[in-house]
Amino acid sequence: MKNLFGSVKTYGSRIGLMLTTLGMLSGCSLDSSATLETEYDIVVRNGTLIDGTGKPAYKADVAIQNGKIVKIGSIKGNAIKTIDATGKHISPGWIDMMDQSGGVLLENGDAENKLLMGVTSAIGGEGGTPVPANEIPSYFQTLEKGGMSLNFGTYYSAGQARVAVVGPTDVKATPEDIVKMQALVRTAMESGAVGVSSAAFYPPHSFLSVNELVEMSKVVSSYGGLYAAHMRDESRKLSSGIEEMITVGEKADVRVEIFHLKNAFAPNWGKGAKDAIEQISQARARGVDIGADQYPYIAGGTGIEATLPNWVFAEGLAKAISIVSDPAQRDKLKADIAHPNSDRMVIASGGWKNIVLSNPKNEKYDQYIGQNFVEIGSALNKDPADAAWDILLAAKSRPYALYFMMAESDVQSIMKQPWVSIGSDAGGVVELGKVDSLGLPHPRSYGTFPRIIGKYVKKEKLFSLEEAIRKMTSLPAERMKLSARGELKENYWADLVIFDFDTIEDKATWDKPFETPTGIDIVIVNGVTVVEQGKHNGKRPGKVLYGPGLKR
């Protein structure tokens, strides 16, 4: 259509120029969105916003430019891409507080299972970084060069530091050794680690003393980082495990985070969770900066070696294999794990009947996947312990089991606490529809975050949708000191999840753990759409989430 000023498009641009000029002449500034020339990268229109703070949802549009949220409200300007979110909810991207993708992202940066369940940022490192402390800078550079679909940060492990200095055996660290461990932690923090972690339940990390953890955490504290741990005990001695976390927090003056908080002791279901919540709440009330994360399932998943007593590993892996292989030692092992004071996984789960083989890492035993060890022992004409340990010895790599050791009522009691965020304890996948990078078939790998909404908001009505989103966004962002993330706010990074509240649901089950969720339509990372119509598009706009001690 032609006119005195040329095409309609040209006419619009000239009018925009005239209006801008008039505004300058009159000394007034005009909202640039009022001109037809304004272009955003993306505008999401007509959605219901949940900003991540816990405040009530409201209707608004969101404009994105150069990876950031630049305006929230009624957006009049044009956009390269417009997303109609009518009938949908818009929230900040979901943050996985306990991720296991540190290694797999080097192989495949898509982390497709994570993005499809709304995760835009992940914090890994329960077992540390996949490289030594002095190689962390190059590790991060490799991640950025190869590309990631999500944002990723990681802890360095106190166990890594200990093994690097004194080796993997149960020996006492000298003061000189601890100074060397501190130096490694300092290197890691200045390289961008978010803090230091420990997995004190597992050998050789279990050989870490409380004093070593305190001294390394003092270094972390000086940079404003976190000490986070898979506690030394989550079962019979849950209270002492929590007390150790509190002790480290107080003596090192460091913020502390409990990984996957649970009451993993069948004989004490109910009371154990109640006592744990009270113990943590009291510490918080007196000023200890302690929080926790959780996955929303009644079974954990870990290696079969977790059924063995710690002393088996005191002299290293080769000696441990020799002990477990010795028929004469088996009776002692069985007596140890059956003792009323055992802190290992058999009593914690309420017996072998509640421990299910999930990945034997040897095709010979694949036929027993999904069976508990009482059933497997019967089929093999063996004691359940012998069946488990024979599978362990025959495995080509670390074999896994599911440990049904939590009560649903305890899961919910913990989840309701305002200081509990969400972490999957799962890694990204190399190939969608397959096991995660750990090799552990657990529904948490594909279902954790939508399950919070689908089950605990919609079905159980445990808390509001706004509170669920807070637990997955601003709470973890605040805990991890993630700059400009975790809220829908102008000048914040544009990490968004657009979902249908009516249809969002986790589909992964114990029998079918690789099913992807429904109801998550669009996921945006740093202003780039990565999931569209529930499908990953292969884009990798993720960034490394550097910790507070980074020195460039």
Side-chain angles (χ1 to χ4, degrees), residues 240-508:
S240 66
I242 294 171
E243 193 56 40
E244 180 177 300
M245 297 293 295
I246 294 170
T247 296
V248 173
E250 290 181 320
K251 289 189 173 182
D253 190 24
V254 70
R255 299 180 301 122
V256 292
E257 177 79 9
I258 299 173
F259 284 144
H260 49 53
L261 178 61
K262 61 176 75 73
N263 175 32
F265 189 53
N268 203 25
W269 282 350
K271 185 178 186 303
K274 180 182 177 182
D275 291 346
I277 291 166
E278 183 176 354
Q279 186 177 7
I280 294 169
S281 297
Q282 288 177 352
R284 287 172 58 85
R286 67 174 186 263
V288 180
D289 192 345
I290 181 170
D293 52 71
Q294 177 195 39
Y295 52 77
Y297 296 92
I298 61 171
T302 193
I304 294 174
E305 83 285 347
T307 62
L308 291 164
N310 262 332
W311 64 262
V312 171
F313 300 92
E315 297 180 47
L317 182 59
K319 180 65 174 178
I321 292 172
S322 173
I323 292 170
V324 180
S325 300
D326 183 357
Q329 294 274 18
R330 290 280 178 102
D331 287 342
K332 177 173 172 53
L333 295 175
K334 292 171 190 174
D336 275 12
I337 65 170
H339 192 279
N341 291 327
S342 171
D343 63 354
R344 306 319 282 170
M345 299 287 268
V346 180
I347 283 185
S349 301
W352 288 104
K353 67 182 182 299
N354 294 323
I355 305 176
V356 174
L357 180 64
S358 62
N359 191 347
K361 299 293 184 72
N362 186 320
E363 298 82 357
K364 175 181 176 182
Y365 295 105
D366 280 353
Q367 61 185 305
Y368 303 113
I369 291 174
Q371 296 184 35
N372 68 55
F373 280 100
V374 172
E375 295 168 331
I376 296 170
S378 178
L380 296 174
N381 197 27
K382 295 179 179 180
D383 182 273
D386 289 318
W389 298 335
D390 287 349
I391 290 173
L392 175 64
L393 292 172
K396 297 172 182 176
S397 57
R398 189 187 189 197
Y400 285 98
L402 299 172
Y403 298 80
F404 286 84
M405 54 191 177
M406 285 87 80
E408 175 63 26
S409 57
D410 285 350
V411 171
Q412 294 191 26
S413 294
I414 291 169
M415 191 180 295
K416 284 191 296 186
Q417 303 311 307
W419 37 265
V420 173
S421 57
I422 308 301
S424 70
D425 195 8
V429 296
V430 175
E431 182 181 351
L432 191 66
K434 299 294 179 68
V435 70
D436 77 347
S437 54
L438 293 177
L440 173 59
H442 191 300
R444 65 193 182 194
S445 302
Y446 284 77
T448 293
F449 288 82
R451 184 175 178 83
I452 298 298
I453 298 174
K455 177 175 174 63
Y456 293 101
V457 174
K458 295 202 305 184
K459 296 177 183 176
E460 302 294 340
K461 304 189 186 306
L462 194 63
F463 35 59
S464 68
L465 178 59
E466 289 87 349
E467 173 63 5
I469 296 299
R470 187 191 71 84
K471 286 176 169 291
M472 302 192 292
T473 57
S474 69
L475 174 59
E478 183 276 328
R479 293 291 292 161
M480 302 310 307
K481 295 189 174 181
L482 301 182
S483 178
R485 298 190 192 274
E487 296 181 35
L488 294 181
K489 191 174 182 180
E490 292 178 7
N491 298 317
Y492 271 46
W493 289 101
D495 296 337
L496 276 69
V497 179
I498 302 174
F499 64 95
D500 187 327
F501 181 74
D502 293 333
T503 62
I504 189 169
E505 186 178 356
D506 61 303
K507 294 294 185 180

Side-chain angles (χ1 to χ4, degrees), residues 152-169:
F152 179 76
T154 183
Y155 294 92
Y156 176 71
S157 171
Q160 274 182 282
R162 187 182 204 281
V163 170
V165 173
V166 303
T169 57

Side-chain angles (χ1 to χ4, degrees), residues 17 25 59 73 88 116 119-120 168 184-185 187 289 291 302 335 365 398 405 411 448 486 493 516 519 550:
L17 180 60
L25 290 173
K59 298 277 189 179
K88 306 295 175 63
L116 292 181
V119 173
T120 61
L184 291 173
V185 172
T187 296
D289 192 345
T302 193
Y365 295 105
R398 189 187 189 197
M405 54 191 177
V411 171
T448 293
W493 289 101
T516 56
L550 177 66

Side-chain angles (χ1 to χ4, degrees), residues 173-195:
T174 66
E176 293 76 17
D177 291 332
I178 293 175
V179 169
K180 292 177 182 178
M181 295 178 201
Q182 288 179 311
L184 291 173
V185 172
R186 187 171 294 108
T187 296
M189 292 302 295
E190 294 185 357
S191 298
V194 298

